[in-house]
Amino acid sequence: MLRIKVCSDKDIQEYSQFHDYEEYKANMEIWLIDYQMKFTRGEMFGLNQLIQFASKVPGVCHESMKSIVRSTEIGLNEHAISRSTFKRLVWKCIEFNMLTAYETENVYGSQCGNLYVFHPYPTF
């Protein structure tokens, strides 16, 4: 994975490949229609959570894996996922070219999480 520096939310906005939330939402619906059956039930819960976190800046999520996995525990108690399930869903999304994951570093050079960037559907 490529490592990038993220100092503020403005740095994250340049990675968005969508004009607005509506375009992002439409693209994610098409992705899910085509690839939903390739994910397990737990992976789908994690993917839906990742999609929700990426709605502030359309298509870009800069939350830690811990926050995303924990949020599924808080919001959907019976559908909690593990870190390995989340990693597996990220690798599947990368394989389908649905998203790109970048390692990020803070101003001191140490890793501070990942940046998940969703791609538009190729033939939309």
Side-chain angles (χ1 to χ4, degrees):
M1 276 193 241
L2 180 65
R3 188 178 261 192
I4 58 173
K5 268 193 184 188
V6 175
C7 299
S8 68
D9 287 342
K10 291 180 183 179
D11 297 336
I12 296 169
Q13 291 176 347
E14 69 185 50
Y15 287 94
S16 179
Q17 299 179 23
F18 302 97
H19 296 291
D20 57 9
Y21 176 73
E22 294 303 319
E23 180 187 5
Y24 167 65
K25 183 178 169 186
N27 276 271
M28 290 302 104
E29 288 174 2
I30 299 297
W31 276 113
L32 291 177
I33 288 169
D34 280 357
Y35 289 96
Q36 182 174 359
M37 300 308 281
K38 299 191 188 269
F39 293 101
T40 65
R41 187 171 161 208
E43 291 168 349
M44 278 306 298
F45 287 119
L47 180 57
N48 286 329
Q49 196 64 31
L50 185 59
I51 289 170
Q52 287 291 324
F53 274 107
S55 62
K56 183 178 178 185
V57 175
V60 181
C61 176
H62 185 49
E63 292 290 326
S64 67
M65 184 188 325
K66 179 181 175 182
S67 297
I68 297 168
V69 170
R70 188 179 65 206
S71 68
T72 58
E73 292 173 0
I74 294 168
L76 305 166
N77 289 331
E78 67 276 5
H79 303 296
I81 63 169
S82 65
R83 291 173 58 89
S84 61
T85 299
F86 184 78
K87 287 180 182 180
R88 197 168 46 250
L89 88 86
V90 169
W91 282 110
K92 282 184 180 180
C93 288
I94 291 170
E95 181 180 309
F96 303 146
N97 202 25
M98 183 186 273
L99 71 82
T100 302
Y102 299 98
E103 290 181 351
T104 61
E105 61 182 38
N106 59 16
V107 294
Y108 304 110
S110 59
Q111 185 180 359
C112 62
N114 290 333
L115 182 71
Y116 303 102
V117 179
F118 284 97
H119 300 289
Y121 193 77
T123 58
F124 184 59

